[in-house]
Amino acid sequence: MTIIAEGINRLVLERSGLAPPKLSPEIVALGVKEVIKLSKEEINDRFNLDEDEGLAWVAAGFPTHYLPGGAFIYTNKEAITLGIVLYLSYGYQLDAPIHDLIEEFRLHPMVKRLIKGGQLLEYSAHLTPVAGINAAPPKLYGNGYLVTGDAAGFLLHLGILIRGGVDFAIESGRVAAEAVTKAHDLGKYDEESLSVYTKLLEESFVLKELKTFKNAHKVLIEPRLYSDYVRMINNLLRRYFEVDGTPKKIGSTFLESKGKLTLIDLAKDAIRLVMNL
Ligand SMILES: Cc1cc2nc3c(=O)[nH]c(=O)nc-3n(C[C@H](O)[C@H](O)[C@H](O)COP(=O)(O)OP(=O)(O)OC[C@H]3O[C@@H](n4cnc5c(N)ncnc54)[C@H](O)[C@@H]3O)c2cc1C
């Protein structure tokens, strides 16, 4: 039995003819990540955390030069992790190398002070699936093999949030072991005996969640979510909270802030988001 758990760079699947020969840019994003060492006391102080608390922030707009994707920063026990994720199909529109983006994010005044004095422990770049179940190879099982984790497209990339990835990888690995045990009881590891793998996945949270969000990527790849909407929210908050001696009403401030977005765009996007997320 072979459990194919090779991650999103699925060379084994591709070279065995079990997945299309090349990943298409629409189904992946590129992530660049830094892990920066700081003491527990510094982290808790800077992020206003109590013992055993953690924190994760995401940001959209500026970090990716207003292209689809986002930035993240989260605390570990004795390190801060920060990074950028960019939908690869928009990479060609980027006016700078992606490693410049993480540099700019790290040097942003809001971020710089959080990691001041820290020591870089890890720097990595990795693809990540963004199309969920749509990025799966045609078959998740066959004679003598099962596919798990990122290699199977088991990741929920919800715009600037990665909801599942590690947990789907762990659970699909557990389910694969169960499927192999059942095939072992039957005494054969052919496609028919291993078909129990998809049945078990469907009973687990993995396929339930991935199927629920199967169209999410089509909505979340919409570029205006990361440009016009980010600018609208920034304008709205700035105008509303600016003390300039004029009375503010949310409705009129909103209309002044929406920039290029039309009311029809707003209604259409709201419906698509509610229907698919
Ligand atoms: C920037 C970024 C941020 C992320 N943030 C989150 C997050 O906040 N939450 C979350 O849940 N997930 C997150 N993820 C996703 C998560 O990392 C993956 O979903 C998860 O690691 C998938 O696990 P995996 O075991 O399937 O694949 P991988 O972790 O990619 O492991 C595959 C392993 O197989 C090895 N390998 C490949 N080919 C071969 C071969 N032929 N022979 C032997 N070994 C091989 C590789 O070297 C690798 O070690 C993030 C990913 C990125 C890139």
Side-chain angles (χ1 to χ4, degrees):
M1 269 303 307
T2 304
I3 310 284
I4 304 180
E6 58 182 337
I8 187 63
N9 285 322
R10 44 199 193 189
L11 300 181
V12 171
L13 281 172
E14 287 170 12
R15 288 176 192 177
S16 316
L18 300 172
K22 270 195 173 172
L23 285 167
S24 86
E26 289 73 38
I27 64 167
V28 280
L30 176 60
V32 184
K33 189 176 98 171
E34 292 184 356
V35 181
I36 296 168
K37 186 174 168 55
L38 280 173
S39 72
K40 196 173 166 183
E41 293 69 34
E42 283 168 319
I43 294 171
N44 288 354
D45 184 43
R46 292 178 195 187
F47 288 84
N48 198 19
L49 299 173
D50 260 337
E51 277 302 297
D52 293 329
E53 281 185 344
L55 175 146
W57 279 332
V58 288
F62 158 82
T64 55
H65 293 194
Y66 299 91
L67 290 172
F72 58 88
I73 181 160
Y74 55 79
T75 58
N76 307 300
K77 279 190 177 151
E78 295 196 342
I80 305 291
T81 300
L82 61 87
I84 300 275
V85 176
L86 183 80
Y87 282 67
L88 209 57
S89 49
Y90 286 88
Y92 74 97
Q93 291 188 18
L94 199 59
D95 51 5
I98 191 163
H99 50 81
D100 279 5
L101 265 52
I102 193 164
E103 200 77 8
E104 287 168 11
F105 182 57
R106 183 163 27 76
L107 294 174
H108 188 283
M110 283 284 293
V111 178
K112 199 166 69 173
R113 61 172 175 253
L114 295 172
I115 53 160
K116 194 174 169 197
Q119 182 202 343
L120 185 67
L121 292 180
E122 281 179 34
Y123 185 98
S124 59
H126 207 285
L127 289 177
T128 171
V130 288
I133 196 72
N134 306 287
K139 277 168 49 189
L140 297 174
Y141 63 90
N143 286 330
Y145 79 89
L146 299 172
V147 191
T148 64
D150 274 13
F154 293 162
L155 189 134
L156 260 184
H157 195 281
L158 298 175
I160 50 173
L161 301 176
I162 294 182
R163 151 58 201 93
V166 171
D167 48 350
F168 289 160
I170 294 171
E171 179 63 1
S172 59
R174 190 196 65 73
V175 170
E178 205 179 323
V180 174
T181 310
K182 287 192 188 297
H184 181 74
D185 291 344
L186 295 174
K188 46 189 179 151
Y189 301 93
D190 59 354
E191 189 166 328
E192 195 193 342
S193 321
L194 291 168
S195 64
V196 69
Y197 179 51
T198 38
K199 187 174 162 286
L200 293 170
L201 279 175
E202 266 158 19
E203 287 166 7
S204 77
F205 65 86
V206 177
L207 281 189
K208 282 195 190 116
E209 284 198 41
L210 285 164
K211 284 186 176 172
T212 303
F213 293 104
K214 72 175 185 307
N215 290 322
H217 73 290
K218 293 184 192 151
V219 183
L220 291 167
I221 204 162
E222 168 58 54
R224 61 174 173 251
L225 293 179
Y226 308 87
S227 52
D228 299 338
Y229 279 94
V230 172
R231 292 191 177 100
M232 180 186 85
I233 293 166
N234 280 340
N235 285 340
L236 179 68
L237 295 174
R238 194 179 54 240
R239 283 171 200 237
Y240 193 71
F241 289 107
E242 201 170 52
V243 177
D244 60 2
T246 57
K248 313 278 169 148
K249 284 187 84 180
I250 289 201
S252 53
T253 313
F254 174 71
L255 291 175
E256 286 160 22
S257 308
K258 68 183 182 45
K260 285 198 282 183
L261 291 165
T262 64
L263 291 177
I264 293 176
D265 289 334
L266 292 163
K268 273 201 307 206
D269 290 336
I271 292 169
R272 292 177 73 208
L273 288 169
V274 170
M275 300 292 286
N276 291 295
L277 294 184

